[in-house]
PDB file of all heavy atoms in Angstrom:
ATOM      1  N   GLY A  32      10.851   3.468  34.691  1.00 94.00           N
ATOM      2  CA  GLY A  32       9.531   3.621  35.310  1.00 94.00           C
ATOM      3  C   GLY A  32       8.461   3.883  34.270  1.00 94.00           C
ATOM      4  O   GLY A  32       7.400   3.245  34.260  1.00 94.00           O
ATOM      5  N   ILE A  33       8.774   4.788  33.341  1.00 92.00           N
ATOM      6  CA  ILE A  33       7.808   5.117  32.286  1.00 92.00           C
ATOM      7  C   ILE A  33       7.477   3.873  31.468  1.00 92.00           C
ATOM      8  O   ILE A  33       6.313   3.566  31.218  1.00 92.00           O
ATOM      9  CB  ILE A  33       8.377   6.202  31.346  1.00 92.00           C
ATOM     10  CG1 ILE A  33       8.533   7.530  32.078  1.00 92.00           C
ATOM     11  CG2 ILE A  33       7.482   6.383  30.130  1.00 92.00           C
ATOM     12  CD1 ILE A  33       9.227   8.594  31.239  1.00 92.00           C
ATOM     13  N   LEU A  34       8.528   3.140  31.105  1.00 92.00           N
ATOM     14  CA  LEU A  34       8.310   1.950  30.269  1.00 92.00           C
ATOM     15  C   LEU A  34       7.482   0.908  31.009  1.00 92.00           C
ATOM     16  O   LEU A  34       6.564   0.310  30.436  1.00 92.00           O
ATOM     17  CB  LEU A  34       9.648   1.342  29.845  1.00 92.00           C
ATOM     18  CG  LEU A  34      10.388   2.110  28.769  1.00 92.00           C
ATOM     19  CD1 LEU A  34      11.629   1.362  28.356  1.00 92.00           C
ATOM     20  CD2 LEU A  34       9.487   2.321  27.567  1.00 92.00           C
ATOM     21  N   THR A  35       7.816   0.696  32.295  1.00 93.00           N
ATOM     22  CA  THR A  35       7.040  -0.261  33.084  1.00 93.00           C
ATOM     23  C   THR A  35       5.571   0.147  33.082  1.00 93.00           C
ATOM     24  O   THR A  35       4.685  -0.678  32.854  1.00 93.00           O
ATOM     25  CB  THR A  35       7.551  -0.295  34.529  1.00 93.00           C
ATOM     26  OG1 THR A  35       8.956  -0.331  34.501  1.00 93.00           O
ATOM     27  CG2 THR A  35       7.008  -1.493  35.271  1.00 93.00           C
ATOM     28  N   PHE A  36       5.353   1.438  33.279  1.00 92.00           N
ATOM     29  CA  PHE A  36       3.968   1.909  33.304  1.00 92.00           C
ATOM     30  C   PHE A  36       3.288   1.664  31.962  1.00 92.00           C
ATOM     31  O   PHE A  36       2.167   1.164  31.897  1.00 92.00           O
ATOM     32  CB  PHE A  36       3.936   3.397  33.658  1.00 92.00           C
ATOM     33  CG  PHE A  36       2.575   3.993  33.495  1.00 92.00           C
ATOM     34  CD1 PHE A  36       1.582   3.731  34.437  1.00 92.00           C
ATOM     35  CD2 PHE A  36       2.267   4.785  32.403  1.00 92.00           C
ATOM     36  CE1 PHE A  36       0.319   4.255  34.283  1.00 92.00           C
ATOM     37  CE2 PHE A  36       0.997   5.306  32.240  1.00 92.00           C
ATOM     38  CZ  PHE A  36       0.031   5.044  33.185  1.00 92.00           C
ATOM     39  N   MET A  37       3.993   2.003  30.864  1.00 91.00           N
ATOM     40  CA  MET A  37       3.376   1.854  29.545  1.00 91.00           C
ATOM     41  C   MET A  37       3.064   0.390  29.254  1.00 91.00           C
ATOM     42  O   MET A  37       2.031   0.076  28.674  1.00 91.00           O
ATOM     43  CB  MET A  37       4.286   2.389  28.437  1.00 91.00           C
ATOM     44  CG  MET A  37       4.458   3.881  28.347  1.00 91.00           C
ATOM     45  SD  MET A  37       3.069   4.939  28.719  1.00 91.00           S
ATOM     46  CE  MET A  37       1.882   4.444  27.541  1.00 91.00           C
ATOM     47  N   PHE A  38       3.970  -0.505  29.687  1.00 91.00           N
ATOM     48  CA  PHE A  38       3.721  -1.932  29.445  1.00 91.00           C
ATOM     49  C   PHE A  38       2.532  -2.420  30.263  1.00 91.00           C
ATOM     50  O   PHE A  38       1.663  -3.126  29.747  1.00 91.00           O
ATOM     51  CB  PHE A  38       4.964  -2.754  29.760  1.00 91.00           C
ATOM     52  CG  PHE A  38       5.889  -2.868  28.605  1.00 91.00           C
ATOM     53  CD1 PHE A  38       6.855  -1.914  28.383  1.00 91.00           C
ATOM     54  CD2 PHE A  38       5.762  -3.904  27.700  1.00 91.00           C
ATOM     55  CE1 PHE A  38       7.687  -1.988  27.291  1.00 91.00           C
ATOM     56  CE2 PHE A  38       6.591  -3.989  26.608  1.00 91.00           C
ATOM     57  CZ  PHE A  38       7.565  -3.022  26.406  1.00 91.00           C
ATOM     58  N   LEU A  39       2.505  -2.030  31.522  1.00 91.00           N
ATOM     59  CA  LEU A  39       1.376  -2.438  32.359  1.00 91.00           C
ATOM     60  C   LEU A  39       0.090  -1.884  31.779  1.00 91.00           C
ATOM     61  O   LEU A  39      -0.921  -2.566  31.665  1.00 91.00           O
ATOM     62  CB  LEU A  39       1.567  -1.927  33.795  1.00 91.00           C
ATOM     63  CG  LEU A  39       2.621  -2.661  34.613  1.00 91.00           C
ATOM     64  CD1 LEU A  39       2.710  -2.069  35.998  1.00 91.00           C
ATOM     65  CD2 LEU A  39       2.259  -4.136  34.703  1.00 91.00           C
ATOM     66  N   PHE A  40       0.154  -0.617  31.402  1.00 89.00           N
ATOM     67  CA  PHE A  40      -1.019   0.052  30.839  1.00 89.00           C
ATOM     68  C   PHE A  40      -1.539  -0.698  29.619  1.00 89.00           C
ATOM     69  O   PHE A  40      -2.728  -0.982  29.505  1.00 89.00           O
ATOM     70  CB  PHE A  40      -0.634   1.479  30.472  1.00 89.00           C
ATOM     71  CG  PHE A  40      -1.690   2.241  29.737  1.00 89.00           C
ATOM     72  CD1 PHE A  40      -2.776   2.759  30.425  1.00 89.00           C
ATOM     73  CD2 PHE A  40      -1.612   2.446  28.366  1.00 89.00           C
ATOM     74  CE1 PHE A  40      -3.755   3.467  29.746  1.00 89.00           C
ATOM     75  CE2 PHE A  40      -2.585   3.144  27.692  1.00 89.00           C
ATOM     76  CZ  PHE A  40      -3.661   3.660  28.387  1.00 89.00           C
ATOM     77  N   SER A  41      -0.608  -1.058  28.714  1.00 87.00           N
ATOM     78  CA  SER A  41      -1.054  -1.681  27.465  1.00 87.00           C
ATOM     79  C   SER A  41      -1.451  -3.137  27.647  1.00 87.00           C
ATOM     80  O   SER A  41      -2.487  -3.554  27.161  1.00 87.00           O
ATOM     81  CB  SER A  41       0.060  -1.615  26.424  1.00 87.00           C
ATOM     82  OG  SER A  41       0.496  -0.309  26.269  1.00 87.00           O
ATOM     83  N   PHE A  42      -0.616  -3.898  28.351  1.00 88.00           N
ATOM     84  CA  PHE A  42      -0.859  -5.338  28.372  1.00 88.00           C
ATOM     85  C   PHE A  42      -1.801  -5.748  29.486  1.00 88.00           C
ATOM     86  O   PHE A  42      -2.721  -6.520  29.276  1.00 88.00           O
ATOM     87  CB  PHE A  42       0.468  -6.088  28.449  1.00 88.00           C
ATOM     88  CG  PHE A  42       1.225  -5.988  27.165  1.00 88.00           C
ATOM     89  CD1 PHE A  42       2.135  -4.974  26.974  1.00 88.00           C
ATOM     90  CD2 PHE A  42       0.991  -6.880  26.133  1.00 88.00           C
ATOM     91  CE1 PHE A  42       2.817  -4.855  25.769  1.00 88.00           C
ATOM     92  CE2 PHE A  42       1.670  -6.766  24.933  1.00 88.00           C
ATOM     93  CZ  PHE A  42       2.584  -5.752  24.753  1.00 88.00           C
ATOM     94  N   LEU A  43      -1.585  -5.190  30.666  1.00 88.00           N
ATOM     95  CA  LEU A  43      -2.474  -5.526  31.773  1.00 88.00           C
ATOM     96  C   LEU A  43      -3.779  -4.745  31.645  1.00 88.00           C
ATOM     97  O   LEU A  43      -4.870  -5.270  31.863  1.00 88.00           O
ATOM     98  CB  LEU A  43      -1.771  -5.190  33.094  1.00 88.00           C
ATOM     99  CG  LEU A  43      -2.210  -6.008  34.293  1.00 88.00           C
ATOM    100  CD1 LEU A  43      -1.898  -7.469  34.056  1.00 88.00           C
ATOM    101  CD2 LEU A  43      -1.489  -5.520  35.539  1.00 88.00           C
ATOM    102  N   GLY A  44      -3.644  -3.479  31.255  1.00 83.00           N
ATOM    103  CA  GLY A  44      -4.826  -2.624  31.099  1.00 83.00           C
ATOM    104  C   GLY A  44      -5.816  -3.223  30.126  1.00 83.00           C
ATOM    105  O   GLY A  44      -7.016  -3.221  30.353  1.00 83.00           O
ATOM    106  N   GLY A  45      -5.288  -3.796  29.025  1.00 79.00           N
ATOM    107  CA  GLY A  45      -6.158  -4.395  28.031  1.00 79.00           C
ATOM    108  C   GLY A  45      -6.956  -5.560  28.605  1.00 79.00           C
ATOM    109  O   GLY A  45      -8.067  -5.842  28.180  1.00 79.00           O
ATOM    110  N   LEU A  46      -6.379  -6.224  29.629  1.00 84.00           N
ATOM    111  CA  LEU A  46      -7.098  -7.340  30.265  1.00 84.00           C
ATOM    112  C   LEU A  46      -8.123  -6.828  31.261  1.00 84.00           C
ATOM    113  O   LEU A  46      -9.175  -7.433  31.466  1.00 84.00           O
ATOM    114  CB  LEU A  46      -6.102  -8.253  30.989  1.00 84.00           C
ATOM    115  CG  LEU A  46      -5.089  -8.987  30.123  1.00 84.00           C
ATOM    116  CD1 LEU A  46      -4.137  -9.774  30.996  1.00 84.00           C
ATOM    117  CD2 LEU A  46      -5.810  -9.910  29.151  1.00 84.00           C
ATOM    118  N   LEU A  47      -7.781  -5.719  31.905  1.00 84.00           N
ATOM    119  CA  LEU A  47      -8.641  -5.238  32.986  1.00 84.00           C
ATOM    120  C   LEU A  47      -9.814  -4.404  32.498  1.00 84.00           C
ATOM    121  O   LEU A  47     -10.834  -4.317  33.162  1.00 84.00           O
ATOM    122  CB  LEU A  47      -7.811  -4.392  33.965  1.00 84.00           C
ATOM    123  CG  LEU A  47      -6.751  -5.167  34.745  1.00 84.00           C
ATOM    124  CD1 LEU A  47      -6.003  -4.243  35.682  1.00 84.00           C
ATOM    125  CD2 LEU A  47      -7.394  -6.300  35.532  1.00 84.00           C
ATOM    126  N   THR A  48      -9.642  -3.782  31.345  1.00 80.00           N
ATOM    127  CA  THR A  48     -10.710  -2.899  30.890  1.00 80.00           C
ATOM    128  C   THR A  48     -11.984  -3.707  30.618  1.00 80.00           C
ATOM    129  O   THR A  48     -11.923  -4.830  30.124  1.00 80.00           O
ATOM    130  CB  THR A  48     -10.273  -2.125  29.633  1.00 80.00           C
ATOM    131  OG1 THR A  48     -11.400  -1.402  29.147  1.00 80.00           O
ATOM    132  CG2 THR A  48      -9.774  -3.044  28.542  1.00 80.00           C
ATOM    133  N   PRO A  49     -13.117  -3.150  30.989  1.00 81.00           N
ATOM    134  CA  PRO A  49     -14.364  -3.903  30.805  1.00 81.00           C
ATOM    135  C   PRO A  49     -14.799  -3.989  29.349  1.00 81.00           C
ATOM    136  O   PRO A  49     -15.706  -4.747  29.027  1.00 81.00           O
ATOM    137  CB  PRO A  49     -15.380  -3.100  31.609  1.00 81.00           C
ATOM    138  CG  PRO A  49     -14.808  -1.734  31.697  1.00 81.00           C
ATOM    139  CD  PRO A  49     -13.331  -1.886  31.698  1.00 81.00           C
TER     140      PRO A  49
END
Side-chain angles (χ1 to χ4, degrees):
Chain A
I33 293 174
L34 285 185
T35 315
F36 171 75
M37 288 324 300
F38 273 88
L39 286 180
F40 173 77
S41 306
F42 289 92
L43 207 62
L46 295 177
L47 293 180
T48 173

